[in-house]
Amino acid sequence: MVRHPLIDDVVGPAIVVESASPVVWLTDALASLLRRSADAGRMVVLRTGRESAITPALRHALGAYGAAWAVADFDGTLRDGRTGAAASGIEDFVHRGPELVGTPSPEHPVAADSVRQISIDLTLRHHAERAVDMGSAIEALCHTVGTCPTRWGTAEPLTVPWDRWVVTQYAKHEAPGVSTSYAVGEGFSATMTAHLVGGVVVETMSAVLTVPEENTDPELANRLFDAVQQVADQVVPVFGVVMQRRGDADHLIRAVSHGEPSPLAVVVGPEASEFLDRDGVWPPPRTTTATFGTRSGAGTRSGAGTRSGAGDRSGAGDTGAADSDIVDGGMIVRFEDGWEALESFLDRIDEDRFLQLVGGAPLDPAHDEGTLDGHVRDARVAGGHGAA
């Protein structure tokens, strides 16, 4: 039995934490309870009122520790705060999973106001021969929209001024174990993890950036993908997902629906590119590819672009880059029409091997909401914030 002052009720294997706070933070005490409960094989169920919000850090921690967020409506009925699916009781979260799948409850409202956001989930391997520099990828991406982290920490409130060097020292101190830290700024929130795999530092980042509304900054997408290529010069991307979504301006997650996110691109690192099936039409229909990290010669260079239409045959529209050169490097695959183009790309990958390669987080939330499995889209729910 987990003994902890935050426990308000125990329902079978579920540990219930009640909160009447308008914003629930990932405090040291709550982080401790989530960790201890997971170690004991128990599920924490955070139960709040319908007006409460949770922070991006807490959203990540709930997912990482297999915890649930139950929202109690005025009539006492429960629903999943993230997906909106109705629950008959706390037991539903134990038996059906910490994030309920199903038709959203009528009490799960559509957000009355929202802003446009870009989410980037990326796994990176640091070069063994270079000094490890955590957070450089986040800064490169943030500069494209003019907003960067101002504070960071491992539990909330986040009060430590942002400093890449200090973040790196924390990760080194936690090695070889997994370090998890969070960062926030104006219009920005992110989760970062780092751990050692075979002597190589693997960094994951899951960042959400508020960006101008569509068509107000037509060069934004190009700047973002240029930043990804800049990151590739410092570290080795393994795999990443870039999504467009709607969310609240303060980046808090509320028990409302913001609609379905739209895939913009995937980042395929050199190792992951070996799992692509390039037979027949390549690139897949309705996609545009740009390479990075390829070796020089054979008619290819970093940043070379290739576009495919539905009627292209193998090699149509190719810039002349040899397949052997492309395999040595990575690529950014941009989608011209969201889910349809993503599904064309998913048909070309060995998904199980991809998931083994990236090791789950931070791509697990993206996988849960269908980003890595377009073939189960109909089973997904256009619910809460998603992978923040």
Side-chain angles (χ1 to χ4, degrees), residues 122-136:
L122 188 60
T123 302
L124 310 158
R125 295 181 190 270
H126 286 259
H127 294 290
E129 68 275 11
R130 297 182 184 175
V132 175
D133 187 8
M134 295 286 295
S136 59

Side-chain angles (χ1 to χ4, degrees), residues 306-359:
T306 306
R307 183 182 183 278
S308 176
D312 288 348
R313 298 307 305 161
S314 178
D318 202 325
T319 59
D323 280 349
S324 60
D325 286 327
I326 296 175
V327 170
D328 283 348
M331 66 182 68
I332 300 172
V333 183
R334 296 173 63 171
F335 304 130
E336 297 176 4
D337 54 4
W339 289 106
E340 295 298 323
L342 174 59
E343 288 176 358
S344 294
F345 174 78
L346 289 173
D347 288 337
R348 300 301 194 92
I349 70 173
D350 183 331
E351 186 177 325
D352 290 338
R353 294 177 71 190
F354 259 66
L355 293 176
Q356 289 175 6
L357 175 64
V358 302

Side-chain angles (χ1 to χ4, degrees), residues 49-52 69 71-74 79-85 104-113 248 254-259 381-385:
R50 60 182 294 148
E51 301 300 325
S52 292
W69 177 22
V71 172
D73 286 303
F74 296 131
R79 57 187 160 98
D80 189 317
R82 292 172 286 196
T83 69
S105 163
E107 300 301 321
H108 196 66
V110 175
D113 194 17
D248 288 329
R254 295 175 172 84
V256 299
S257 170
H258 285 287
V381 178
H385 192 280

Side-chain angles (χ1 to χ4, degrees), residues 116 118 144-145 211-212 217-226:
R116 183 182 176 217
I118 299 293
T144 64
V145 294
V211 297
D217 186 356
E219 290 302 312
L220 174 63
N222 289 331
R223 293 202 308 272
L224 278 172
F225 296 124
D226 286 346

